[in-house]
Amino acid sequence: MAPKLKLIYFNARGRAEVSRLLLALGGQEYEDVRIPIENWPEEKPKTVFGQVPMLEVDGVRYAQSVAIEAYLARELNLYGESNLDQLKIDQVVQLNQDYRAKAVTGLKETDEARKAELIKKVKEVESPLYLGFLEKLLKENGTGYFVGSSLSYADISTYDNIYAFSVRGPLLSRPGDDYPLLKELFNNVENNERIKAYLANRKQTDIYPQQQNTNMKLIYFDARGRAEISRLLLAAAGKEYEDVRLPRDQWTAEKPNTPFGQLPVLEVKGKRFGQSLAIAMFLARKLGFYGKDELDGLAVDQVVQLSIDFGSALGRNRREKDEAKKAELLKQTKEVDVPKFVTFYEKILRENGTGYFVGDSLTLADIVVFDQMEALVQRGMLNIEQYPLVQTWIEKVKSNEKLRAYLESRKPSEH
């Protein structure tokens, strides 16, 4: 009995299209699941490795596009007739992957001068080499195919790779008379009755999934620090953005490109803005984390400002150079300042009575204090069990589905 298959990807061709072509060529029934790009933040935690495509086989999900393609090719008898045939096919597939990596690097480059340089190299150097290697392999086999005398995984992988990059950017053209054997291969693929039927009815979509047009880039070091509140807000909203982590050794060169010589920086539609709190407040207003009316906004601001006062108290000992004085200040922070401010937080939670600092849903106030509490617990400055309302509130914040997904996938880094 044939397995029940479900192929899961965005409504685009991209990294799922070779699998779709193999399934079409093999005459295999399957469920073609297309995830709307705006639903990706909710779907991502359900995936194997936080990515698609995925192949579901009898209810079990598997990831990695090339692994999926290889499985389908074996199941559909499109992987040659011997181990040596499979080696020949794998070398073509990996050659396609190597070219893809070089091409994508050029297309994704954000610096325009560097992008032009990389694309020029791919077009003038890498593309002729790549097509030449493929032409040579076809000539050596002598049948019009890469392996044997019929279509295989190697032919489908090559067809889709060249097709995608001839449409996507100025890197390749559909094979013409300069590459007669590749031209013949394209005709062989497109004239196959099953492939022809699939192509005739194929959904008209983009080659690659179009991300939400956020035009938003958050730039900071590879640490939580002053950018983490903004990252938490963006995660809670399921908002797509580019999370740029600047290596420390690049800071000197990048510093003149910031508004005030500091990070984080939020880039919106190409314009850069500084000051971490200003960025967080903008995001909170934009993403709906500032309460329901102006009075809620005032209540949010008072918690945020209280947290800033608390942060100033916490920072006193870190700024002190004298070790004896530093130890004295640390003792005062732990025994006086931490109980004082966390008790204020307990009082606000008790008075609001909903489990949140303001209103009955997550706001900037919760995000700011949550980030602060995480840092205190991490540094051994706070025994959270002494503050039951704050402890319960922390678990409530963590129970937010989108935040939980972000926290679970967040890579360890300095706070």
Side-chain angles (χ1 to χ4, degrees):
M1 181 178 176
K4 183 178 180 181
L5 302 180
K6 185 185 293 186
L7 185 63
I8 305 163
Y9 193 61
F10 301 111
N11 188 29
R13 298 177 195 172
R15 291 187 174 273
E17 195 62 12
V18 171
S19 292
R20 294 189 188 118
L21 287 163
L22 289 169
L23 288 159
L25 180 60
Q28 175 68 50
E29 294 287 332
Y30 72 103
E31 186 178 349
D32 186 13
V33 178
R34 309 284 182 121
I35 301 173
I37 196 72
E38 61 271 15
N39 292 353
W40 176 234
E42 290 80 13
E43 292 296 322
K44 187 174 181 179
K46 304 172 188 175
T47 64
V48 182
F49 302 130
Q51 61 188 27
V52 285
M54 287 189 303
L55 183 69
E56 189 172 292
V57 183
D58 292 333
V60 180
R61 290 182 164 187
Y62 302 89
Q64 292 293 331
S65 57
V66 175
I68 292 168
E69 294 162 12
Y71 165 78
L72 292 173
R74 287 191 294 269
E75 288 290 300
L76 300 170
N77 298 315
L78 298 171
Y79 221 137
E81 297 179 356
S82 66
N83 285 336
L84 189 58
D85 281 353
Q86 291 185 11
L87 174 59
K88 293 176 181 179
I89 288 170
D90 288 339
Q91 75 172 350
V92 173
V93 171
Q94 292 305 316
L95 180 64
N96 291 333
Q97 292 298 312
D98 286 349
Y99 177 80
R100 176 190 290 271
K102 293 169 184 174
V104 167
T105 298
L107 293 171
K108 285 188 172 181
E109 175 61 50
T110 55
D111 180 271
E112 290 303 319
R114 177 64 176 156
K115 181 173 185 173
E117 178 186 337
L118 289 172
I119 287 178
K120 184 174 186 291
K121 182 182 178 183
V122 172
K123 184 176 181 179
E124 297 180 1
V125 179
E126 303 296 347
S127 294
L129 273 175
Y130 167 61
L131 296 174
F133 287 144
L134 293 171
E135 187 79 3
K136 178 174 178 280
L137 290 172
L138 287 169
K139 184 177 181 180
E140 289 172 353
N141 192 45
T143 65
Y145 304 96
F146 285 110
V147 176
S149 56
S150 61
L151 287 175
S152 73
Y153 174 27
D155 304 299
I156 297 301
S157 171
T158 301
Y159 170 80
D160 182 68
N161 207 49
I162 294 177
Y163 184 95
F165 285 105
S166 66
V167 172
R168 190 180 184 197
L171 302 173
L172 287 173
S173 299
R174 184 185 174 97
D177 294 338
D178 290 343
Y179 301 97
L181 298 179
L182 275 172
K183 181 180 179 180
E184 180 187 353
L185 176 68
F186 261 59
N187 290 334
N188 288 338
V189 172
E190 292 178 342
N191 287 326
N192 176 276
E193 290 302 318
R194 286 176 174 172
I195 295 291
K196 184 187 293 185
Y198 171 75
L199 295 176
N201 295 289
R202 180 165 63 177
K203 294 179 181 180
Q204 297 303 307
T205 65
D206 292 308
I207 297 294
Y208 283 87
Q210 298 300 304
Q211 298 293 328
Q212 291 173 297
N213 187 21
T214 59
N215 294 315
M216 195 177 295
K217 185 186 296 185
L218 184 63
I219 306 165
Y220 194 61
F221 303 109
D222 190 19
R224 299 180 194 175
R226 290 181 177 273
E228 194 62 12
I229 290 169
S230 292
R231 294 191 192 116
L232 290 165
L233 286 166
L234 288 157
K239 186 72 170 176
E240 293 287 334
Y241 71 104
E242 188 176 351
D243 185 14
V244 178
R245 306 289 182 118
L246 189 71
R248 296 278 179 177
D249 57 7
Q250 294 180 19
W251 172 231
T252 302
E254 186 63 24
K255 189 173 182 178
N257 299 325
T258 64
F260 310 120
Q262 61 186 26
L263 295 177
V265 165
L266 182 70
E267 186 175 298
V268 183
K269 298 180 180 178
K271 184 172 177 58
R272 291 186 165 191
F273 301 87
Q275 291 295 328
S276 57
L277 183 57
I279 291 168
M281 291 169 73
F282 162 77
L283 292 173
R285 289 191 296 268
K286 180 178 178 65
L287 302 174
F289 294 116
Y290 230 110
K292 297 175 182 177
D293 53 32
E294 291 183 356
L295 196 59
D296 276 359
L298 173 59
V300 168
D301 286 341
Q302 78 166 351
V303 174
V304 170
Q305 294 301 321
L306 180 66
S307 76
I308 291 172
D309 289 348
F310 189 11
S312 296
L314 292 170
R316 283 197 302 264
N317 67 287
R318 293 199 296 272
R319 293 189 292 270
E320 180 58 53
K321 303 296 183 184
D322 181 89
E323 289 302 319
K325 181 66 172 173
K326 187 183 183 78
E328 182 183 332
L329 288 172
L330 179 61
K331 184 173 185 292
Q332 178 183 331
T333 298
K334 192 169 184 178
E335 297 180 0
V336 178
D337 296 319
V338 169
K340 171 186 172 182
F341 282 96
V342 181
T343 299
F344 284 149
Y345 293 151
E346 285 264 309
K347 178 175 182 286
I348 296 168
L349 287 167
R350 184 180 303 108
E351 290 175 351
N352 191 44
T354 66
Y356 296 100
F357 279 106
V358 178
D360 56 2
S361 62
L362 200 68
T363 67
L364 174 61
D366 300 293
I367 296 295
V368 167
V369 179
F370 177 79
D371 182 61
Q372 195 173 56
M373 294 297 100
E374 269 204 319
L376 286 173
V377 172
Q378 187 181 66
R379 293 169 185 159
M381 298 285 288
L382 173 64
N383 180 1
I384 198 64
E385 294 180 357
Q386 295 179 356
Y387 305 94
L389 293 180
V390 170
Q391 186 176 29
T392 301
W393 161 82
I394 287 174
E395 294 308 312
K396 190 177 185 70
V397 173
K398 286 182 177 178
S399 71
N400 178 281
E401 184 177 351
K402 293 175 183 176
L403 263 184
R404 184 173 67 249
Y406 169 74
L407 294 170
E408 288 175 354
S409 63
R410 180 171 63 178
K411 64 178 182 179
S413 63
E414 298 174 12
H415 201 287

